[in-house]
Structures are given as C-alpha cells and as structure tokens.
Amino acid sequence: MGPEGKLPPPLDLAERIDVQIRPAPGDRGTELAARFKEPGPAASASVPARLAGQDPRQELRRALRDAKSLLEAGEVLRPDAPTTTRSTPGGRLVEVVTRRSGGEGVL
C-alpha cells in the first residue's frame, strides 16, 4: 500500500477492485491478488468483447503485469517503439497474433 492506504499506480483502479497482499509460501516474496468487487455483465467477458479489447478483466491483468514490472525492475517495461529490427514475414505473423491476443499477455 502506498501513502494514505491507497494502492499505487498501476493498481489504482478506483474502488472497483479488492487487492490482497500476503507473504508467499516458503518465504519466497509476496503474493499480490486482485479481483473486481462486482462481477461485470456476462457480455463483457465474451469472446467478441475480448477480441475487441473491451473485456474489463484485460485492464486488471494489464495492471497486475505493470505492477509486477514496477516492483521487480523499478519501472514499467515497454518494448522498443519503433522496433530496432527490420520486419520479416515471421515477425509480421507474430505481430498479428499478438494484436489478436487481446492484451491477455499470451498468444
């Protein structure tokens, strides 16, 4: 928790989430868990909503990834933009699949 009991960015999703911070088993650091207080409408969790980037769970997952990066590296790491390599057919395929992954962090 930050000053005044507020969550630091990127987990400052207002009052929409519950966050639990606890020691990890075996003295291996800290576990951070977050979930929405109120479940969203079922339509927002559908496949079309995920593909369109409108699933609210994606925002929470992105915030957790950013928080992990911030805690581990001291900053939110972003890929180089523009990229430092030339585009190849395989690289373009990976770019398309990555865009279609809907911000889930997995292909």
Side-chain angles (χ1 to χ4, degrees), residues 33-52:
R35 67 178 180 172
F36 286 106
K37 290 180 181 179
E38 299 288 328
S44 69
S46 66
V47 172
R50 286 180 61 192
L51 292 176

Side-chain angles (χ1 to χ4, degrees), residues 68-81:
K68 178 181 178 188
S69 178
L70 188 62
L71 291 169
E72 291 177 351
E75 64 181 302
V76 178
L77 303 175
R78 300 280 183 224
D80 290 339

Side-chain angles (χ1 to χ4, degrees), residues 14-93:
E15 299 296 320
R16 299 184 305 156
I17 62 170
D18 283 325
V19 177
Q20 294 179 1
I21 302 171
R22 60 184 170 264
D27 196 28
R28 299 183 124 188
T30 303
E31 288 184 350
L32 181 64
R35 67 178 180 172
F36 286 106
K37 290 180 181 179
E38 299 288 328
S44 69
S46 66
V47 172
R50 286 180 61 192
L51 292 176
Q54 298 172 345
D55 185 347
R57 296 175 302 176
Q58 291 171 329
E59 179 184 12
L60 182 56
R61 288 182 181 120
R62 189 173 303 114
L64 284 169
R65 280 194 307 274
D66 289 352
K68 178 181 178 188
S69 178
L70 188 62
L71 291 169
E72 291 177 351
E75 64 181 302
V76 178
L77 303 175
R78 300 280 183 224
D80 290 339
T83 59
T84 56
T85 59
R86 63 183 174 83
S87 184
T88 63
R92 284 191 288 271
L93 177 63

